[in-house]
Amino acid sequence: MTLDKLTYGKIKLRPLEPEDLEFLYQWENDPAVWQVSNTLAPFSRYVLKQYIAESHRDVFEAKQLRLVIEDLQQKAVGTIDLFDFDPFHQRAGLGILIHDQEDRGKGLATDALMLMIRYARDVLGLRQLYVNITTDNQRSIHLFKKAGFQLVGTKKDWIRITSGWLDEELYQ
């Protein structure tokens, strides 16, 4: 891993660029991922364009950081986010998305997660990262457990879906 280039294994992490608008628009407006991102309505290109324009703000000011995950062919395959960034308590929430099915199962999420963990610890000085995962998302649970995250609690009937309710687990 090189922190100056944010590369590790089969991926590179990079900041959002104006050219990312179209795939970000596609990903953010995909109802299949709304459940994991707590989204209830689509985003306009205008709103996303503003979000990208503001993404240059320092993580200490914005309290969040979103990076694009690129594969070795420089194809954007997903995003990884730090949110609820709290430098005083040295912690943040973490989210990851590998959008297209054909890009999943190749170790890209694992490499991005390992790099973000190291970046959060070595560059940002964080002691703790946490994730919230619904109990039906076994791939994410496996990913984070493999990276050393431990289950610390369960929020019962936390996420409403069309067929009822899902529990959400908290991992640190």
Side-chain angles (χ1 to χ4, degrees), residues 46-57:
Y46 176 77
V47 167
L48 291 172
K49 195 174 197 177
Q50 287 183 310
Y51 176 77
I52 291 170
E54 289 295 314
S55 68
H56 71 280
R57 292 174 45 212

PDB file of all heavy atoms in Angstrom, residues 46-57:
ATOM      1  N   TYR A  46     -28.273  17.777 -10.978  1.00  0.00           N
ATOM      2  CA  TYR A  46     -27.902  19.064 -10.391  1.00  0.00           C
ATOM      3  C   TYR A  46     -27.374  18.886  -8.969  1.00  0.00           C
ATOM      4  O   TYR A  46     -26.319  19.407  -8.618  1.00  0.00           O
ATOM      5  CB  TYR A  46     -29.103  20.013 -10.402  1.00  0.00           C
ATOM      6  CG  TYR A  46     -28.837  21.328  -9.720  1.00  0.00           C
ATOM      7  CD1 TYR A  46     -28.102  22.325 -10.348  1.00  0.00           C
ATOM      8  CD2 TYR A  46     -29.321  21.570  -8.435  1.00  0.00           C
ATOM      9  CE1 TYR A  46     -27.843  23.524  -9.713  1.00  0.00           C
ATOM     10  CE2 TYR A  46     -29.068  22.759  -7.790  1.00  0.00           C
ATOM     11  CZ  TYR A  46     -28.332  23.740  -8.428  1.00  0.00           C
ATOM     12  OH  TYR A  46     -28.073  24.926  -7.794  1.00  0.00           O
ATOM     13  N   VAL A  47     -28.106  18.141  -8.138  1.00  0.00           N
ATOM     14  CA  VAL A  47     -27.690  17.915  -6.749  1.00  0.00           C
ATOM     15  C   VAL A  47     -26.367  17.155  -6.706  1.00  0.00           C
ATOM     16  O   VAL A  47     -25.470  17.495  -5.934  1.00  0.00           O
ATOM     17  CB  VAL A  47     -28.793  17.156  -5.971  1.00  0.00           C
ATOM     18  CG1 VAL A  47     -28.275  16.626  -4.646  1.00  0.00           C
ATOM     19  CG2 VAL A  47     -29.995  18.057  -5.751  1.00  0.00           C
ATOM     20  N   LEU A  48     -26.226  16.137  -7.539  1.00  0.00           N
ATOM     21  CA  LEU A  48     -24.988  15.367  -7.556  1.00  0.00           C
ATOM     22  C   LEU A  48     -23.819  16.195  -8.075  1.00  0.00           C
ATOM     23  O   LEU A  48     -22.683  16.052  -7.600  1.00  0.00           O
ATOM     24  CB  LEU A  48     -25.164  14.094  -8.379  1.00  0.00           C
ATOM     25  CG  LEU A  48     -26.090  13.056  -7.741  1.00  0.00           C
ATOM     26  CD1 LEU A  48     -26.360  11.912  -8.706  1.00  0.00           C
ATOM     27  CD2 LEU A  48     -25.531  12.542  -6.425  1.00  0.00           C
ATOM     28  N   LYS A  49     -24.084  17.073  -9.035  1.00  0.00           N
ATOM     29  CA  LYS A  49     -23.030  17.960  -9.543  1.00  0.00           C
ATOM     30  C   LYS A  49     -22.534  18.879  -8.426  1.00  0.00           C
ATOM     31  O   LYS A  49     -21.331  19.094  -8.272  1.00  0.00           O
ATOM     32  CB  LYS A  49     -23.577  18.778 -10.715  1.00  0.00           C
ATOM     33  CG  LYS A  49     -22.538  19.446 -11.554  1.00  0.00           C
ATOM     34  CD  LYS A  49     -23.214  20.093 -12.756  1.00  0.00           C
ATOM     35  CE  LYS A  49     -22.208  20.401 -13.811  1.00  0.00           C
ATOM     36  NZ  LYS A  49     -22.822  20.974 -15.019  1.00  0.00           N
ATOM     37  N   GLN A  50     -23.468  19.393  -7.626  1.00  0.00           N
ATOM     38  CA  GLN A  50     -23.082  20.223  -6.481  1.00  0.00           C
ATOM     39  C   GLN A  50     -22.289  19.409  -5.454  1.00  0.00           C
ATOM     40  O   GLN A  50     -21.308  19.906  -4.899  1.00  0.00           O
ATOM     41  CB  GLN A  50     -24.324  20.825  -5.819  1.00  0.00           C
ATOM     42  CG  GLN A  50     -24.963  21.930  -6.622  1.00  0.00           C
ATOM     43  CD  GLN A  50     -26.142  22.519  -5.873  1.00  0.00           C
ATOM     44  OE1 GLN A  50     -27.018  21.802  -5.403  1.00  0.00           O
ATOM     45  NE2 GLN A  50     -26.153  23.838  -5.761  1.00  0.00           N
ATOM     46  N   TYR A  51     -22.745  18.177  -5.214  1.00  0.00           N
ATOM     47  CA  TYR A  51     -22.053  17.299  -4.260  1.00  0.00           C
ATOM     48  C   TYR A  51     -20.608  17.064  -4.716  1.00  0.00           C
ATOM     49  O   TYR A  51     -19.673  17.155  -3.912  1.00  0.00           O
ATOM     50  CB  TYR A  51     -22.807  15.970  -4.131  1.00  0.00           C
ATOM     51  CG  TYR A  51     -22.122  14.976  -3.248  1.00  0.00           C
ATOM     52  CD1 TYR A  51     -22.169  15.098  -1.870  1.00  0.00           C
ATOM     53  CD2 TYR A  51     -21.399  13.917  -3.790  1.00  0.00           C
ATOM     54  CE1 TYR A  51     -21.531  14.184  -1.042  1.00  0.00           C
ATOM     55  CE2 TYR A  51     -20.758  12.997  -2.974  1.00  0.00           C
ATOM     56  CZ  TYR A  51     -20.830  13.140  -1.611  1.00  0.00           C
ATOM     57  OH  TYR A  51     -20.185  12.245  -0.803  1.00  0.00           O
ATOM     58  N   ILE A  52     -20.433  16.767  -5.993  1.00  0.00           N
ATOM     59  CA  ILE A  52     -19.076  16.556  -6.521  1.00  0.00           C
ATOM     60  C   ILE A  52     -18.243  17.827  -6.384  1.00  0.00           C
ATOM     61  O   ILE A  52     -17.073  17.770  -5.986  1.00  0.00           O
ATOM     62  CB  ILE A  52     -19.129  16.072  -7.987  1.00  0.00           C
ATOM     63  CG1 ILE A  52     -19.694  14.644  -8.050  1.00  0.00           C
ATOM     64  CG2 ILE A  52     -17.742  16.116  -8.624  1.00  0.00           C
ATOM     65  CD1 ILE A  52     -20.001  14.164  -9.454  1.00  0.00           C
ATOM     66  N   ALA A  53     -18.852  18.973  -6.675  1.00  0.00           N
ATOM     67  CA  ALA A  53     -18.128  20.246  -6.580  1.00  0.00           C
ATOM     68  C   ALA A  53     -17.669  20.534  -5.155  1.00  0.00           C
ATOM     69  O   ALA A  53     -16.615  21.139  -4.942  1.00  0.00           O
ATOM     70  CB  ALA A  53     -19.008  21.385  -7.098  1.00  0.00           C
ATOM     71  N   GLU A  54     -18.432  20.081  -4.166  1.00  0.00           N
ATOM     72  CA  GLU A  54     -18.087  20.307  -2.760  1.00  0.00           C
ATOM     73  C   GLU A  54     -17.201  19.204  -2.189  1.00  0.00           C
ATOM     74  O   GLU A  54     -16.726  19.320  -1.059  1.00  0.00           O
ATOM     75  CB  GLU A  54     -19.368  20.424  -1.924  1.00  0.00           C
ATOM     76  CG  GLU A  54     -20.139  21.697  -2.174  1.00  0.00           C
ATOM     77  CD  GLU A  54     -19.359  22.934  -1.749  1.00  0.00           C
ATOM     78  OE1 GLU A  54     -18.774  22.944  -0.643  1.00  0.00           O
ATOM     79  OE2 GLU A  54     -19.309  23.896  -2.537  1.00  0.00           O
ATOM     80  N   SER A  55     -16.980  18.149  -2.934  1.00  0.00           N
ATOM     81  CA  SER A  55     -16.258  16.989  -2.399  1.00  0.00           C
ATOM     82  C   SER A  55     -14.774  17.271  -2.157  1.00  0.00           C
ATOM     83  O   SER A  55     -14.093  16.461  -1.532  1.00  0.00           O
ATOM     84  CB  SER A  55     -16.411  15.783  -3.323  1.00  0.00           C
ATOM     85  OG  SER A  55     -15.739  16.000  -4.549  1.00  0.00           O
ATOM     86  N   HIS A  56     -14.293  18.415  -2.609  1.00  0.00           N
ATOM     87  CA  HIS A  56     -12.889  18.773  -2.373  1.00  0.00           C
ATOM     88  C   HIS A  56     -12.645  19.204  -0.920  1.00  0.00           C
ATOM     89  O   HIS A  56     -11.502  19.272  -0.482  1.00  0.00           O
ATOM     90  CB  HIS A  56     -12.490  19.931  -3.301  1.00  0.00           C
ATOM     91  CG  HIS A  56     -13.114  21.227  -2.923  1.00  0.00           C
ATOM     92  ND1 HIS A  56     -14.411  21.538  -3.256  1.00  0.00           N
ATOM     93  CD2 HIS A  56     -12.646  22.275  -2.194  1.00  0.00           C
ATOM     94  CE1 HIS A  56     -14.709  22.732  -2.768  1.00  0.00           C
ATOM     95  NE2 HIS A  56     -13.665  23.186  -2.119  1.00  0.00           N
ATOM     96  N   ARG A  57     -13.716  19.468  -0.184  1.00  0.00           N
ATOM     97  CA  ARG A  57     -13.565  19.941   1.197  1.00  0.00           C
ATOM     98  C   ARG A  57     -12.843  18.909   2.049  1.00  0.00           C
ATOM     99  O   ARG A  57     -13.028  17.709   1.902  1.00  0.00           O
ATOM    100  CB  ARG A  57     -14.935  20.261   1.796  1.00  0.00           C
ATOM    101  CG  ARG A  57     -15.571  21.462   1.138  1.00  0.00           C
ATOM    102  CD  ARG A  57     -16.989  21.750   1.590  1.00  0.00           C
ATOM    103  NE  ARG A  57     -17.160  21.679   3.027  1.00  0.00           N
ATOM    104  CZ  ARG A  57     -18.294  21.284   3.595  1.00  0.00           C
ATOM    105  NH1 ARG A  57     -19.332  20.913   2.870  1.00  0.00           N
ATOM    106  NH2 ARG A  57     -18.402  21.243   4.902  1.00  0.00           N
TER     107      ARG A  57
END
